[in-house]
Amino acid sequence: MNIESLKLIDRRYSIFVSLVEEVKADAQFTFSAKDNLVAKGFDATAGSMILKGYKPPFDATPVRKMREAGGFLLGKTNMDEFGFGSFSVNSAFGVPKNPFDLNRSCGGSSGGSACAAAIFDNHVSLGVSTGGSIACPASFCGVYGLTPSYGRVSRYGLIDYGNSLDKVGLLSFRVSDLKKFLPVISGVDKKDPTSAMQPDLKLGQKEVKSVAIPMEAVVEKNISKDVLKCFKNSVEMLESMSIDVEYVSMPTLKYSIPAYYVIASSEASTNLARYCGMRYGQQEGDLTLKFDEYFTSFRSRYLGKEAKRRILLGTYARMAGYADKYYNKAIRVRESIIADYKKQFERFDAIVTPTMPFISPKFDDISTMSALDSYKVDFLTVPPNITGMPHLSVPCGYSEKMPIGLLFTSAHWNEDVLIDIAEKWDLAFDVKHADVVI
């Protein structure tokens, strides 16, 4: 692949926010990184106009490790602004288009990363998940998406959305890439205290023998008929692999969406306070204004609609007098959800659900969704994210020629379970390539 063909593909699919100037012909492999992971030689915008022109002087730890492993960074992939979205339509730099249908979403917020993984050969993408931002686009674009345990991969160099939720992971068309590069990006990093305490990553030592299906996650009224049919076929495939499948009750799952959006928005509003027009990115405000007026005018101009909504929601939830009612209660709910998962992992190796409740929607349909409607679509991916547990989306079928994903979640630090099921699934299921048009 040369730079001309790369640019042609990017113009058609809007994969990247910034691209390399020349493609290295003798690279061992190519990779891309979501635009909230900083990298020398590239702007780091996190999909926001407020950071346009910010050129970091260092690599995020996962980017550095991929480069040291022989990888060549093609570019920074498009995403929802600061990770706020499920469809990658909230970027200030265009909207990535699904490689299976240009009129449909790639998913979000790592939409560009999933698109790159689906299109390019010998390529792996770095994505970031807060509430499902790796699994969702992996499902919509028909690739494998692995989100490791919280703390398994260093967050140093990540432009944060939610500090207690953000996780760096991998997207690829090939399972072998997940197994190869998870050890590359994993490990303790003294620059990131959240990665300081973790057991060693050991792959190939655990075999999946049993999985649980939460009844609360597969209610027919919440999932489209084509996804539900595909899920039932997938369960039969698992049983044909001599894997025991059992339905269980996990009543706390219904509280995961409200708890997640309180926690995530609260942390986001704190993180975005630094973007005030004086330290990062754009600094073109009217300096004759008083500081409150300056910050307000600057942030009103450069932040997108969804970013403003989450700042307001998060600031309200953590205000004095409201923190106990919302934020602190959400933290206790998260603890209950973790306990519910741990109870199931005493008996089962993994938990399985559909990844998303429907196939990738068309942009016209997304435009009619309310904010609440768009938040609700993450009800299957939010639970493992709010608990910090590793999870994997695998392609499991197709409807209207669009991919459908299957989501496996394992206990903390048990990524080896997910790699085992991914390898088994890859042998049994024929994953389809998108027909790339230049």
Side-chain angles (χ1 to χ4, degrees):
M1 177 173 52
N2 55 39
I3 189 64
E4 288 76 20
S5 62
L6 183 61
K7 288 180 178 178
L8 284 172
I9 292 173
D10 186 43
R11 277 197 290 270
R12 185 168 182 82
Y13 296 97
S14 299
I15 301 170
F16 297 100
V17 174
S18 55
L19 269 174
V20 70
E21 293 182 0
E22 290 292 337
V23 177
K24 187 177 179 181
D26 60 345
Q28 294 181 32
F29 65 94
T30 63
F31 75 102
S32 53
K34 190 174 179 178
D35 202 37
N36 55 354
L37 288 165
V38 304
K40 289 186 291 186
F42 296 88
D43 285 2
T45 70
S48 178
M49 189 60 68
I50 206 167
L51 278 172
K52 184 179 181 181
Y54 171 53
K55 294 186 180 295
F58 67 101
D59 284 338
T61 297
V63 173
R64 174 181 60 79
K65 288 184 172 183
M66 291 292 280
R67 281 177 159 165
E68 290 174 351
F72 180 76
L73 180 60
L74 289 182
K76 305 294 292 304
T77 54
N78 212 340
M79 58 178 285
D80 286 297
E81 184 177 19
F82 291 106
F84 303 150
S86 300
F87 304 113
S88 290
V89 295
N90 295 324
S91 172
F93 304 99
V95 178
K97 300 173 180 63
N98 195 296
F100 285 85
D101 184 344
L102 295 176
N103 295 310
R104 295 179 185 267
S105 167
C106 286
S109 60
S110 304
S113 294
C115 189
I119 287 177
F120 300 121
D121 293 326
N122 191 30
H123 185 87
V124 62
S125 292
L126 293 176
V128 179
S129 181
T130 308
S133 295
I134 291 175
C136 167
S139 176
F140 283 172
C141 292
V143 297
Y144 291 91
L146 175 63
T147 307
S149 301
Y150 177 82
R152 175 67 79 184
V153 180
S154 172
R155 290 168 42 245
Y156 180 71
L158 169 65
I159 299 172
D160 282 311
Y161 166 2
N163 300 58
S164 72
L165 296 160
D166 294 338
K167 301 163 288 292
V168 182
L170 300 165
L171 299 104
S172 179
F173 185 80
R174 302 182 304 183
V175 171
S176 59
D177 285 337
L178 305 183
K179 187 174 184 178
K180 178 179 179 181
F181 292 108
L182 178 59
V184 169
I185 64 173
S186 297
V188 174
D189 181 3
K190 293 181 180 179
K191 296 178 181 178
D192 174 21
T194 62
S195 75
M197 298 295 292
Q198 57 178 270
D200 292 338
L201 178 65
K202 297 178 180 179
L203 302 182
Q205 296 192 13
K206 288 190 178 180
E207 183 179 358
V208 175
K209 296 181 180 179
S210 61
V211 297
I213 302 172
M215 292 182 289
E216 294 82 0
V218 288
V219 179
E220 289 190 17
K221 68 177 182 179
N222 297 331
I223 301 175
S224 67
K225 290 182 179 179
D226 50 355
V227 170
L228 202 57
K229 179 180 178 181
C230 184
F231 179 71
K232 291 178 179 177
N233 292 337
S234 299
V235 170
E236 292 177 0
M237 283 186 61
L238 291 172
E239 291 173 334
S240 71
M241 299 175 189
S242 299
I243 295 174
D244 293 330
V245 181
E246 184 177 327
Y247 283 82
V248 298
S249 178
M250 296 181 66
T252 60
L253 294 187
K254 64 183 178 182
Y255 303 114
S256 59
I257 285 287
Y260 167 77
Y261 277 101
V262 169
I263 295 170
S265 297
S266 297
E267 295 181 2
S269 68
T270 303
N271 284 321
L272 265 63
R274 72 191 71 173
Y275 305 115
C276 58
M278 299 185 71
R279 288 185 286 177
Y280 302 99
Q282 302 286 352
Q283 298 180 16
E284 299 176 355
D286 183 358
L287 295 177
T288 65
L289 296 173
K290 295 181 179 180
F291 69 91
D292 277 345
E293 294 173 331
Y294 174 81
F295 295 158
T296 299
S297 64
F298 184 87
R299 288 157 68 86
S300 296
R301 177 181 177 186
Y302 287 110
L303 287 174
K305 183 178 179 180
E306 185 60 31
K308 294 172 185 175
R309 180 184 290 116
R310 301 205 188 195
I311 288 171
L312 292 172
L313 176 62
T315 302
Y316 180 82
R318 60 184 177 81
M319 285 174 58
Y322 293 96
D324 282 338
K325 185 176 181 181
Y326 297 109
Y327 182 76
N328 293 336
K329 184 178 290 185
I331 295 297
R332 292 195 295 273
V333 169
R334 173 159 65 180
E335 293 172 353
S336 296
I337 298 171
I338 291 173
D340 215 353
Y341 269 94
K342 286 184 175 180
K343 179 181 177 182
Q344 301 305 327
F345 290 132
E346 291 175 1
R347 297 177 54 210
F348 302 98
D349 298 314
I351 291 170
V352 62
T353 68
T355 304
M356 298 300 291
F358 42 66
I359 62 172
S360 174
K362 294 182 178 180
F363 293 118
D364 289 344
D365 295 329
I366 294 171
S367 66
T368 65
M369 288 185 182
S370 67
L372 183 59
D373 288 338
S374 65
Y375 294 170
K376 287 180 179 178
V377 304
D378 297 328
F379 75 92
L380 294 164
T381 61
V382 159
N385 277 278
I386 200 173
T387 64
M389 292 177 176
H391 48 284
L392 167 77
S393 180
V394 304
C396 69
Y398 302 87
S399 177
E400 299 179 41
K401 299 182 179 180
M402 297 301 299
I404 295 172
L406 188 67
L407 186 67
F408 293 93
T409 302
S410 61
H412 287 120
W413 314 117
N414 281 9
E415 288 86 355
D416 49 352
V417 168
L418 301 179
I419 295 297
D420 178 70
I421 193 62
E423 291 180 323
K424 285 182 169 66
W425 191 264
D426 194 46
L427 292 174
F429 183 78
D430 184 21
V431 182
K432 296 180 182 178
H433 260 297
D435 294 326
V436 179
V437 179
I438 299 179

